[in-house]
Amino acid sequence: MKQMNLLQAVNNALLLAMERDSSVLCFGEDVGHFGGVFRATSGLQDRFGGERCFNTPLTEQGIAGFANGLAAKGLKPVAEIQFADYIFPAFDQLVNETAKFRYRSGNEFNVGGLVVRAPYGGGIAGGHYHSQSPEAYFVHTPGLRVVVPRGPVQAKGLLLAAIDCPDPVIFFEPKRLYRAAVAEVDEGFYQLPLDKAEVVREGTDITLLAWGAQMDYLSMAADLAEQAGISCEVIDLQTLLPWDEDTVVASVLKTGRLLISHEAPLTGGVGAEIAATVQERCFLYLESPIARVCGPDTPFPLALEKHYMPDQHKIFNAINATINF
C-alpha cells in the first residue's frame, strides 16, 4: 500500500496498464513530456517512449477519431481530453462512431478497449469553460460506459478495468479531488467492477446517492444528519452507464426515501433518470418524494461558484425536508 492522491492513482494505473500490455497507448494535448495539464501522464513518455505516449494537435474531434481507428485495429488507446468542457468538438465521433461501432457491424468489429479520460466538474475557480459536468450527454448514448471515481482507490481500480473493458468507456475524473483526495492505495494491479455501485455507509432513514466529488459533500451531510438523529445510507454510483439499479433499489426499499446529488444542472441530469426508475420500482415503499440537490439551470458562474455547487448544507436541508415531508 502507498499513500496516493487521485492524480497519482491515475498515473499509477496508466503505468501498470502500459507495463502489462504493449497495446495500451496514451495520447492527447500536452500529455507527452509535459505530462498533461494536470500531470496525470507524467513520466510515461520517458518510460515507454514517444510511440506509446505522445502529444496530439489541438483537435478533440481528431483525438477521438484517431482513438476510434486505433481501437478498431485492436490497440487500447487511452485518449485524454484536456478538460471535459472541451469534449464537445469530439461529440460526433464519440456518439455517432465510438458508441455504434459494434452495433453497425453486427459484431464484426468494435472499439472495445478505447478509454477517453477527461477532468470534469467545478471547485477550482475555472469559470464556465473549465468547470462543467457533461456526463448526462453520454449517459443518453447506448454503446458507451460512463465512469466517475470518488477517490484514489476507485480511480485506479476503475481505470484499470476500463482499459480492459470490451466496451468503450468515458472516464470522468473529478479534478477538484486530483490533489485533495488522498488514500492508501494498493501498488499492485487490481480492478473494480464497472457496473456496481458501492454502499459506503449503511443507514435506515434515507438513501443518499451521488458520484465523484459530490461524495465528499454527501458524507459531510450524513454526519450532520446523524447529529440530528437521522440515519443515512450513502451510495457511490461509480458507473453511470450502466448504473446499478438493483443496489439503489434495495437501499430505497429499506429506507423509503432517496436523495440524489450531482453538480450538473437539474434539468435532464442523471438524477432525473435515477428518480424515474426508482419511483417505478419502489413506488409503494416511498415515504416522500425523491429529492434532487443539483446545480441550477444556468451556465457555470465563476464569481458565484460556491453558490452554484451543491454542498453539505444544501444536502442537509434537503434531507430534513424529505424526512419531515
Side-chain angles (χ1 to χ4, degrees), residues 98-293:
T98 306
K100 298 175 176 62
F101 243 79
R102 181 182 289 117
Y103 175 81
R104 70 186 177 93
S105 74
N107 205 35
E108 288 296 313
F109 50 86
N110 64 76
V111 291
L114 185 159
V115 177
V116 176
R117 295 179 42 253
Y120 96 115
I124 66 162
H128 60 288
Y129 285 130
H130 299 81
S131 304
Q132 296 173 83
S133 299
E135 64 265 32
Y137 294 101
F138 297 98
V139 169
H140 191 66
T141 307
L144 299 175
R145 291 184 185 241
V146 180
V147 179
V148 186
R150 74 174 186 273
V153 174
Q154 294 74 30
K156 180 177 176 178
L158 292 169
L159 182 53
L160 286 170
I163 292 169
D164 273 354
C165 182
D167 303 316
V169 179
I170 309 294
F171 196 87
F172 288 118
E173 298 165 5
K175 57 182 176 286
R176 181 176 72 81
L177 301 182
Y178 265 155
R179 292 177 174 84
V182 180
E184 290 287 325
V185 180
D186 188 336
E187 292 187 86
F189 184 95
Y190 69 91
Q191 297 180 344
L192 296 175
L194 294 179
D195 55 1
K196 191 70 177 171
E198 182 182 353
V199 179
V200 299
R201 179 172 180 163
E202 294 194 357
T204 57
D205 296 329
I206 184 171
T207 300
L208 309 181
L209 177 67
W211 48 89
Q214 280 305 113
M215 290 302 300
D216 274 354
Y217 295 124
L218 225 58
S219 295
M220 289 187 281
D223 290 339
L224 293 173
E226 186 176 19
Q227 295 171 19
I230 301 169
S231 174
C232 298
E233 183 141 299
V234 179
I235 299 179
D236 176 10
L237 198 56
Q238 298 192 124
T239 298
L240 279 58
L241 183 67
W243 67 280
D244 184 0
E245 291 183 27
D246 290 342
T247 294
V248 177
V249 165
S251 177
V252 175
L253 291 176
K254 178 174 70 170
T255 66
R257 300 176 180 88
L258 174 62
L259 181 151
I260 308 159
S261 181
H262 56 68
E263 281 186 34
L266 178 78
T267 300
V270 177
E273 170 61 28
I274 295 169
T277 300
V278 169
Q279 71 85 20
E280 287 175 357
R281 295 185 59 180
C282 304
F283 183 73
L284 295 178
Y285 294 82
L286 290 172
E287 301 288 345
S288 62
I290 296 169
R292 288 179 290 160
V293 182

Side-chain angles (χ1 to χ4, degrees), residues 76-100:
K76 293 184 176 181
V78 182
E80 177 177 297
I81 302 296
Q82 197 169 75
F83 287 87
D85 313 62
Y86 303 165
I87 206 167
F88 298 112
F91 197 73
D92 174 57
Q93 283 292 325
L94 295 173
V95 170
N96 280 327
E97 305 300 335
T98 306
K100 298 175 176 62

Side-chain angles (χ1 to χ4, degrees), residues 59-84:
T59 166
E60 285 77 21
Q61 183 179 20
I63 291 170
F66 184 51
N68 282 333
L70 290 171
K73 297 299 289 183
L75 298 172
K76 293 184 176 181
V78 182
E80 177 177 297
I81 302 296
Q82 197 169 75
F83 287 87

Side-chain angles (χ1 to χ4, degrees), residues 17-18 20-25 52 74-78:
M18 295 176 78
R20 184 169 175 261
D21 187 343
S22 62
S23 68
V24 178
L25 311 173
R52 294 187 61 198
L75 298 172
K76 293 184 176 181
V78 182

